[in-house]
Amino acid sequence: MERLERIHPNRQVMAFTFMLVLVQVCSEKTTQYSILEETESGSFVAHLAKDLDLRPGDLTARSARVVCDDYKQRLVLDPETGDLLLREKLDREELCVSLEPCVLHFQVSLEKPVQFLQGELLIQDINDHSPEFPDMEMLLKIPENSQPGTLLPLNLAQDLDVGSNGLQHYTVNSNSHFHVVTRNNSEGKKYPELVQDRALDREEQAELSLTLTALDGGDPPRSGTAMVRILILDINDNAPEFVNTPYEVQVLESSPPDSPVLTVLAQDADAGIFGRVSYGLFQASDEIQQTFSINEVTGEIRLRKGLDFEKVKSYHVKIEATDGGGLSGKGAVLIEVVDVNDNAPELTISSLTSSVPENAPETIISIFRVGDRDSGENGKVVCSIPETLPFILKSTFKNFYSLVTESPLDRETRAEYNITITVTDLGTPRLTTQHTITVQVSDVNDNAPAFTETSYTLFVQENNSPALHIGNISATDSDSGSNAHITYSLLPTHDPQLDLSSLISINADNGQLFALRALDYEALQTFEFHVGATDQGSPELRSQVLVRVLVLDANDNAPFVLYPLQNASAPCTELLPRAAEPGYLVTKVVAVDRDSGQNAWLSFQLLKATEPGLFNVWAHNGEVRTSRLLSERDAPKHRLLLLVKDNGDPQRSASVTLHVLVVDGFSQPYLPLPEVASDPEHDDKEMLTLYLVIALASVSSLFLLSVLLFVGLRLCRRARASSLGGCSVPEGHFPGHLVDINGARTLSQSYQYEVCLRGESGTGGFEFLKAINSQFPPSESERKTEESPTLWNSFLFI
């Protein structure tokens, strides 16, 4: 989350003001429980559900929490039984030191509705500590003129236990000079006091050693011992006295260690060594000895460590002044700790909801507690959050606050909020504590999938391989998680003739489209269908998009010749007048290509001809025309091989064979000629004779050259005559090409001719018939042709 650069004023909620919103709260009555110290963790404390008149399951449903006043989680709730249990062992001496009774205050918070229970746990002492003397050896100096009955106070022993388990009395080993009595000081602590039983004589015994024993009241009792050494001194009749006692002084808790506190002064009326005074702490506890020190010579008291007003607000220090003769005077110093604002406010989370569903009404995000260990104005706090966030703070109970949503949240607008709770005290200087709570807005399926395009157009080359990837369909969903997981599917088509399931498949996970089989442009050039996108939310949301597939043409079809037909039983023969002029239209090859575009652009080419140069083919329309005039030397029958090719890549082609028969002239344009079958045996013999003649000619002498040339010419003429007489003309009608003898290259009507073969000797002739179903009479030129014997003789062959 980007941090806002401009800081708006915070919504401040004063901790010390009256509670603005008071939810159902339990009565001010405090429930009390008790337990022995050092009880194992997990031990039963109380049946809290029963005390609250709740069923055990209600504690879990209402998010019950236990918060102790010392900001530590020492207690825990069992959600199944509703019992209040110990989270850890409790040490009464650690929690309360010498304070009696030792009470642990705690609160129980409940939600839905918010309710609080105040409780106290009394921690009962057990006898787990023995009395201990601060020094294992004590030295007493007693003047020898000391009288029986003199009282000698001794350092007391420390016992961390309290009550009957605490220190009860002292004893001393049996001797003839002293016994010990137990007394109470002003603080109620028991200390030992030696009582002199008889007069002392330094010359008889200069030193005594006694064993002092401290006993507590436990069962069995515990004890501690110390050695008391008594030195008998010469007479010193004046003890030191403090000038001003008790002393009172105030010290800031922020004072550093080794800071001076004050200087005490004691005076002794004696002179010499008996009037020289030394200072020390008297009957000081461990806490006082660790906190203060006193200079034995100057009487200056200094700090050993820092002070903490929140732990100890004042100290009562006893001091002692001892002269050189062993006499001592007692004094007291009252040290008050002055509070400073040295503790930042504290914030303790009782409950926290890290995820909130979007579009939800007012929702409790967190319940937390604020406080400050300082006192007075230093302990008053103000709690706030940024005003730009859709959350508010509500004061619920004392220093407890609830963080709730102010309005429904939208995850698509913002999926995460970092809420900084700021707690500031009113001390000088002001101290601030900040705690950031991260709230995730959980998704609700409120957005349908959206395609990246309004429609898709895909291009596929025909004759594709099966399972070819042809494109991707993509959709996005503004939701998250399963609500944003999109599944693609093909929707049913409304065209009953389109079997979409056999053409296209789609990957349900990523929207990839595949062609299931090879597509044929000539059969299907384009088709449309719809793709649906469905998320996995509840309820499911879906959308659809139109997909158009265009099949691209490939050059997969060769040209097909429509005319002349190549699969006929007999080849088609075109007639060509011998008098045809150059450019005469012999025939036109008609071909088509099933492909489209440039794949269907056809061109024609003459590959092979009986007489090269006699015919040419127009490349773009397939017209076969003569290139020159025919001569007598040109063969009467011609075979043309034409190539028809397209403009595709790769280029495809087809070949067509044309048979052209040269005639000298005819009056009617259509002359059906019967096919005269050639004699294979005769042709073979002719060819064999030709080969023999050529062989003989190659080995014959020059003498016979003229004779052989003459014979060769005769044989060639005979072979030519045989070839013309044996030509085959297909039965039926010739195709309707127009032949014009007069040079106009067109005829006005159709004619039919019949070719007859007469005799078995290989001779034959044409028999001219009149026009069939002719609507017009023959022209004058035709009549002349019929009457001309020369034209008739030209169609007779021997």
Side-chain angles (χ1 to χ4, degrees):
M1 181 186 73
E2 296 182 357
R3 186 175 298 272
L4 297 175
E5 294 182 358
R6 187 177 61 181
I7 301 176
H8 296 275
N10 290 334
R11 183 186 305 130
Q12 298 186 342
V13 182
M14 302 298 294
F16 56 87
T17 58
F18 292 99
M19 291 180 293
L20 299 178
V21 179
L22 185 60
V23 191
Q24 178 184 355
V25 180
C26 64
S27 64
E28 294 295 326
K29 181 180 178 181
T30 301
T31 306
Q32 295 183 345
Y33 306 96
S34 64
I35 193 169
L36 293 176
E37 69 169 332
E38 301 299 332
T39 302
E40 293 295 329
S41 61
S43 298
F44 173 83
V45 176
H47 192 57
L48 192 60
K50 181 178 179 182
D51 295 341
L52 295 176
D53 294 330
L54 297 174
R55 295 186 300 273
D58 292 343
L59 296 179
T60 301
R62 295 183 62 182
S63 303
R65 299 287 189 279
V66 178
V67 180
C68 297
D69 277 359
D70 60 350
Y71 300 92
K72 294 184 179 180
Q73 193 67 28
R74 302 184 185 277
L75 301 174
V76 68
L77 281 176
D78 188 338
E80 296 180 1
T81 63
D83 294 338
L84 183 63
L85 308 177
L86 283 178
R87 190 173 181 272
E88 61 184 13
K89 283 185 179 182
L90 299 180
D91 186 359
R92 191 204 66 81
E93 289 73 22
E94 178 184 352
L95 294 175
C96 302
V97 191
S98 60
L99 186 64
E100 183 66 14
C102 182
V103 178
L104 177 64
H105 298 274
F106 66 93
Q107 294 86 30
V108 179
S109 63
L110 301 172
E111 299 178 13
K112 301 176 184 177
V114 176
Q115 183 179 356
F116 293 86
L117 170 69
Q118 299 186 60
E120 294 180 355
L121 180 61
L122 177 63
I123 304 173
Q124 299 177 355
D125 183 56
I126 62 173
N127 191 24
D128 57 342
H129 294 86
S130 298
E132 293 181 1
F133 288 93
D135 299 312
M136 297 303 297
E137 181 176 309
M138 291 180 281
L139 178 62
L140 293 180
K141 296 178 180 181
I142 303 175
E144 63 178 346
N145 61 347
S146 177
Q147 298 298 319
T150 300
L151 301 178
L152 301 173
L154 302 176
N155 286 337
L156 55 79
Q158 300 284 341
D159 193 337
L160 297 179
D161 296 325
V162 296
S164 61
N165 295 324
L167 180 63
Q168 297 298 320
H169 63 279
Y170 297 88
T171 61
V172 70
N173 63 305
S174 177
N175 64 91
S176 59
H177 293 89
F178 299 92
H179 71 276
V180 67
V181 295
T182 302
R183 301 188 186 279
N184 293 328
N185 60 15
S186 60
E187 297 178 0
K189 294 184 179 180
K190 292 179 170 50
Y191 68 94
E193 204 170 47
L194 280 179
V195 180
Q196 186 176 343
D197 292 333
R198 68 185 185 90
L200 300 175
D201 186 2
R202 181 181 178 278
E203 287 70 22
E204 178 182 354
Q205 189 175 4
E207 181 178 345
L208 296 174
S209 294
L210 305 178
T211 300
L212 180 64
T213 302
L215 298 171
D216 63 18
D219 185 17
R222 291 175 174 264
S223 63
T225 60
M227 180 66 67
V228 180
R229 290 178 55 206
I230 301 174
L231 297 180
I232 301 173
L233 305 176
D234 286 340
I235 296 173
N236 180 22
D237 56 345
N238 290 289
E241 293 181 0
F242 285 98
V243 175
N244 188 13
T245 187
Y247 294 90
E248 293 183 1
V249 66
Q250 292 183 339
V251 182
L252 295 177
E253 67 171 334
S254 59
S255 299
D258 201 38
S259 297
V261 178
L262 82 161
T263 300
V264 297
L265 177 63
Q267 296 177 347
D268 194 324
D270 295 329
I273 191 173
F274 296 120
R276 189 179 301 166
V277 178
S278 61
Y279 302 90
L281 300 177
F282 180 71
Q283 294 183 352
S285 64
D286 292 339
E287 178 67 17
I288 291 177
Q289 291 182 16
Q290 294 172 5
T291 306
F292 303 96
S293 67
I294 187 171
N295 190 297
E296 293 183 354
V297 177
T298 63
E300 183 183 46
I301 299 176
R302 286 181 172 269
L303 290 177
R304 285 182 177 270
K305 65 176 184 178
L307 303 178
D308 190 353
F309 175 84
E310 288 69 35
K311 291 185 178 180
V312 181
K313 295 179 175 56
S314 64
Y315 294 90
H316 187 75
V317 181
K318 291 184 178 181
I319 55 177
E320 180 183 37
T322 305
D323 63 12
L327 297 180
S328 62
K330 307 299 188 288
V333 179
L334 179 60
I335 302 174
E336 293 184 1
V337 181
V338 179
D339 183 45
V340 295
N341 193 25
D342 60 341
N343 290 282
E346 297 180 355
L347 185 147
T348 304
I349 301 294
S350 297
S351 66
L352 176 63
T353 301
S354 60
S355 179
V356 178
E358 65 177 334
N359 305 327
E362 181 176 297
T363 304
I364 296 178
I365 303 299
S366 175
I367 296 177
F368 59 92
R369 176 188 180 187
V370 296
D372 196 318
R373 295 178 182 268
D374 295 321
S375 61
E377 292 296 316
N378 297 332
K380 296 178 181 180
V381 295
V382 174
C383 187
S384 63
I385 61 173
E387 290 185 346
T388 56
L389 300 179
F391 301 90
I392 57 174
L393 286 175
K394 291 184 177 181
S395 178
T396 54
F397 175 76
K398 289 186 177 179
N399 51 353
F400 282 87
Y401 291 87
S402 296
L403 177 65
V404 299
T405 57
E406 189 176 25
S407 60
L409 306 177
D410 185 9
R411 192 202 68 82
E412 286 70 35
T413 302
R414 190 169 179 178
E416 181 182 280
Y417 291 89
N418 290 324
I419 308 168
T420 301
I421 302 174
T422 303
V423 184
T424 305
D425 63 21
L426 301 181
T428 303
R430 293 195 175 189
L431 300 180
T432 299
T433 296
Q434 290 185 335
H435 184 84
T436 301
I437 296 175
T438 300
V439 177
Q440 303 286 343
V441 183
S442 59
D443 187 52
V444 174
N445 193 26
D446 57 348
N447 291 278
F451 289 92
T452 56
E453 298 182 19
T454 56
S455 64
Y456 293 83
T457 301
L458 306 178
F459 298 91
V460 185
Q461 191 79 26
E462 71 169 334
N463 303 322
N464 57 284
S465 59
L468 175 68
H469 176 226
I470 63 175
N472 291 337
I473 304 300
S474 178
T476 59
D477 197 313
S478 300
D479 297 319
S480 65
S482 61
N483 296 331
H485 185 78
I486 298 176
T487 301
Y488 300 89
S489 62
L490 298 177
L491 299 182
T493 179
H494 299 293
D495 187 358
Q497 297 181 355
L498 180 63
D499 187 9
L500 187 62
S501 61
S502 66
L503 294 176
I504 299 296
S505 71
I506 189 169
N507 189 314
D509 295 326
N510 55 26
Q512 292 183 346
L513 287 173
F514 298 89
L516 296 179
R517 60 180 176 85
L519 301 178
D520 187 1
Y521 173 84
E522 288 71 28
L524 181 63
Q525 297 181 0
T526 181
F527 59 94
E528 296 179 350
F529 57 93
H530 286 84
V531 172
T534 306
D535 61 26
Q536 294 186 0
S538 179
E540 292 181 347
L541 299 179
R542 58 178 56 88
S543 58
Q544 64 180 16
V545 69
L546 175 66
V547 180
R548 182 180 294 105
V549 178
L550 301 179
V551 182
L552 302 179
D553 182 50
N555 193 25
D556 58 341
N557 292 281
F560 180 78
V561 179
L562 296 178
Y563 180 83
L565 293 177
Q566 298 300 296
N567 57 352
S569 59
C572 179
T573 302
E574 303 291 342
L575 297 179
L576 175 63
R578 188 175 295 276
E581 296 180 357
Y584 178 85
L585 177 63
V586 178
T587 186
K588 181 176 182 179
V589 178
V590 181
V592 295
D593 196 321
R594 293 183 63 191
D595 295 319
S596 64
Q598 66 177 8
N599 295 329
W601 296 351
L602 301 181
S603 60
F604 301 83
Q605 180 183 356
L606 179 61
L607 292 181
K608 186 177 181 181
T610 304
E611 291 288 342
L614 179 59
F615 300 93
N616 63 68
V617 178
W618 287 24
H620 300 295
N621 57 14
E623 292 181 353
V624 180
R625 295 178 181 270
T626 58
S627 300
R628 59 177 174 82
L629 291 173
L630 280 80
S631 65
E632 290 295 330
R633 294 181 179 181
D634 292 328
K637 184 177 181 181
H638 297 268
R639 180 175 178 273
L640 307 179
L641 179 62
L642 280 73
L643 180 68
V644 184
K645 58 184 178 180
D646 59 23
N647 197 35
D649 185 18
Q651 197 174 62
R652 295 180 179 272
S653 61
S655 62
V656 57
T657 302
L658 293 178
H659 296 273
V660 178
L661 180 64
V662 180
V663 295
D664 289 338
F666 47 87
S667 59
Q668 293 182 346
Y670 285 91
L671 179 64
L673 299 176
E675 182 177 357
V676 180
S678 61
D679 187 359
E681 294 182 0
H682 178 73
D683 292 338
D684 293 339
K685 291 179 180 179
E686 294 282 344
M687 295 302 296
L688 181 60
T689 302
L690 178 60
Y691 293 146
L692 291 175
V693 170
I694 294 173
L696 291 173
S698 63
V699 298
S700 299
S701 63
L702 295 175
F703 176 77
L704 297 178
L705 180 59
S706 60
V707 177
L708 291 177
L709 289 174
F710 176 76
V711 175
L713 291 175
R714 287 284 295 183
L715 291 176
C716 289
R717 288 179 180 177
R718 185 177 180 181
R720 182 177 181 184
S722 298
S723 175
L724 182 62
C727 66
S728 59
V729 180
E731 294 182 355
H733 304 287
F734 281 111
H737 286 286
L738 301 179
V739 180
D740 185 5
I741 298 176
N742 295 328
R745 301 182 184 178
T746 58
L747 295 177
S748 60
Q749 56 181 320
S750 299
Y751 291 85
Q752 184 173 4
Y753 297 89
E754 186 177 30
V755 179
C756 300
L757 182 65
R758 294 183 298 181
E760 297 179 357
S761 62
T763 63
F766 287 96
E767 180 179 352
F768 288 88
L769 303 178
K770 293 183 179 181
I772 300 175
N773 298 328
S774 175
Q775 298 179 359
F776 302 96
S779 63
E780 182 178 355
S781 61
E782 292 171 352
R783 286 195 302 269
K784 291 180 180 180
T785 303
E786 291 178 358
E787 295 173 357
S788 175
T790 305
L791 182 63
W792 168 258
N793 292 332
S794 65
F795 282 86
L796 296 178
F797 301 95
I798 299 174

